Each structure stands twice: as structure tokens, then as C-alpha cells.
Amino acid sequence: MSKIKTLLITGANNHDWQRSAPFCKDLLEKSGKFSVTLTEDPSTVLEDAGGLKDYQLFFSDYNGPEWSETAKTNFEAAVRNGVGLIIFHAADNAFPGWVEYEKMVGLLWRAGTGHGSFHQFKVAILDHEHPITKDIPDFLQWDELYHKLVHMHGVPYKVLASAYSDPETGGTGKDEPMMVTTQYGKGRVFHHVLGHIWAGQEEMQAFEGEEFQKTLIRGCQWAATGVVLD
């Protein structure tokens, strides 16, 4: 089976993209299922509409300056026409006011969103039949636990996994979404809310768990093809 051609979009983030993006690239390629091109200059790369035609998947580990209008238009068109999209952790913070991007993501970090302390918590699988989470048990995760993500533009979404946001760690006292799917035209979108790493943070604890890695690989397969092959 041919590998899923993936464009990993990074180069700016309030998190340590210089560690997270190469880690994700390596994780996907070591699975044997993906061929990953990493770009640190997405605005320029996305301006080449012809060069995007071979990609089956966009993986966004990006939270930074606005892209050019041409890049944004090409990105919208590609996802609308069926390129899968991964929204990774702080990529849900990106592009306030870009309505089409907000429609892709559905739940975003906007005014009122926050998180408590970096701590270990249980991720509860809510959908045991979805290809991404099928046969995945509840698991413990060291991470930021985002709370009060904002539902934008009435976009339909499905929560595959959640976590209890404990007031003792600065949380809301509610279950908060940790894995979400949406649809943008023909494009499947998987939003992995987990995956925190600050610059200067020594350990990449959020990235080490088997379940975190497995759901990320599966989410990429599903977004690109609609199926998951373990």
C-alpha cells in the first residue's frame, strides 16, 4: 500500500514546535504508513496550488502569523476537496477571524479558553466504535488540559475522548473534549487537543504515552483515507 503523502505545517507556535514537529514527523514515518514533508514556511509552500495536489493530509502544528490570502485560499480549497487535516494542540489557537479555518476546527481556543497546571489526568474514550479510538482503553496523560474551547459558527462536531478538568489543578469541574472530529466539505478533520511542550520544558511527557501516539497515528490515517489500518 502506498504511503500517505503528508505536509506537516509548522515554523511558528507559542509551543516548542522545534521539538514537537520533528517528533510527529518521525512518529508518522516510523509507522511505515506516511511520507512526511515538513515545512517551516507554510505561507510560501501553500501558495503553490499545483504542488499541493499530491498531498492526502495536512498536519498543522502551527500557531503564528497569518498566511497570505493565496495560501489561505489554496488551503481551504484543498481541504474542501478532500485533503485530510490534523489540528494539533495549539493549532486550535491559530487565525482568529479566519472564518473558514474556524469552520474546519469547530472548537477553538478563543476568548475565555484556558488551562490549569500541567499535570497527569485520565483521558476517557467516549466513542469505542470510531476507527480512531476503537479498542483504545482510557489512559493517563501528562499534559495541559484545555478547557472552555469555543464552539464556532455552529459547526457539527463529534467528541471521541474527554477528560475531567479538576478545579484542584485550575480546571472547570467539567469534562472537556480531548479528541474531536469535524468535516469541511469532503475533508475529514481530526483535532488532537493533547500534545503540550513549552520551550525549555525538559521532558516531552505528553508525547511519550502509547495511547497518545496510537491515536495520533490513527487520526492521521482516518483524516487522510477514512479508514484505519493497524
Side-chain angles (χ1 to χ4, degrees), residues 92 107-109 113 146-151 176-177 191 193:
D92 66 14
L107 297 178
L108 296 102
W109 179 294
T113 307
Y146 280 10
H147 58 237
K148 297 185 179 180
L149 291 171
V150 178
H151 183 204
E176 302 287 351
H191 177 187
V193 184

Side-chain angles (χ1 to χ4, degrees), residues 164-205:
Y164 177 66
S165 180
D166 195 328
E168 292 189 2
T169 57
T172 59
K174 298 180 179 179
D175 292 328
E176 302 287 351
M178 295 292 105
M179 300 179 206
V180 182
T181 61
T182 58
Q183 185 88 19
Y184 183 77
K186 296 179 181 178
R188 289 172 294 272
V189 182
F190 177 57
H191 177 187
H192 212 317
V193 184
L194 304 169
H196 169 75
I197 179 70
W198 282 137
Q201 181 178 326
E202 270 188 44
E203 297 180 358
M204 295 183 70
Q205 288 169 297

Side-chain angles (χ1 to χ4, degrees), residues 63-140:
N63 178 28
E66 290 275 336
W67 300 334
S68 71
E69 288 303 314
T70 299
K72 288 161 70 174
T73 297
N74 289 344
F75 185 83
E76 291 171 16
V79 178
R80 189 182 300 113
N81 290 325
V83 175
L85 175 62
I86 301 300
I87 299 296
F88 185 72
H89 196 53
D92 66 14
N93 295 213
F95 305 124
W98 179 8
V99 172
E100 297 308 308
Y101 183 82
E102 292 172 339
K103 287 180 178 179
M104 295 177 203
V105 185
L107 297 178
L108 296 102
W109 179 294
R110 294 294 184 256
T113 307
H115 63 77
S117 62
F118 184 85
H119 68 288
Q120 190 180 49
F121 52 86
K122 184 177 80 170
V123 177
I125 303 301
L126 303 182
D127 188 336
H128 294 277
E129 298 304 319
H130 194 281
I132 296 172
T133 47
K134 188 176 177 64
D135 299 324
I136 298 284
D138 296 351
F139 62 93
L140 294 176

Side-chain angles (χ1 to χ4, degrees), residues 21-105:
F23 180 96
C24 291
K25 180 179 188 294
D26 188 55
L27 178 69
L28 294 182
E29 292 189 327
K30 281 184 175 178
S31 76
K33 298 175 174 68
F34 301 87
S35 172
V36 183
T37 299
L38 187 154
T39 179
E40 298 179 12
D41 185 18
S43 195
T44 298
V45 171
L46 291 166
E47 286 185 352
D48 179 11
L52 300 179
K53 289 181 179 178
D54 290 337
Y55 289 110
Q56 296 169 266
L57 181 68
F58 295 153
F59 185 121
S60 182
D61 184 19
Y62 183 89
N63 178 28
E66 290 275 336
W67 300 334
S68 71
E69 288 303 314
T70 299
K72 288 161 70 174
T73 297
N74 289 344
F75 185 83
E76 291 171 16
V79 178
R80 189 182 300 113
N81 290 325
V83 175
L85 175 62
I86 301 300
I87 299 296
F88 185 72
H89 196 53
D92 66 14
N93 295 213
F95 305 124
W98 179 8
V99 172
E100 297 308 308
Y101 183 82
E102 292 172 339
K103 287 180 178 179
M104 295 177 203
V105 185

Side-chain angles (χ1 to χ4, degrees), residues 151-162:
H151 183 204
M152 303 290 289
H153 311 295
V155 172
Y157 65 91
K158 183 170 184 58
V159 179
L160 304 185
S162 67

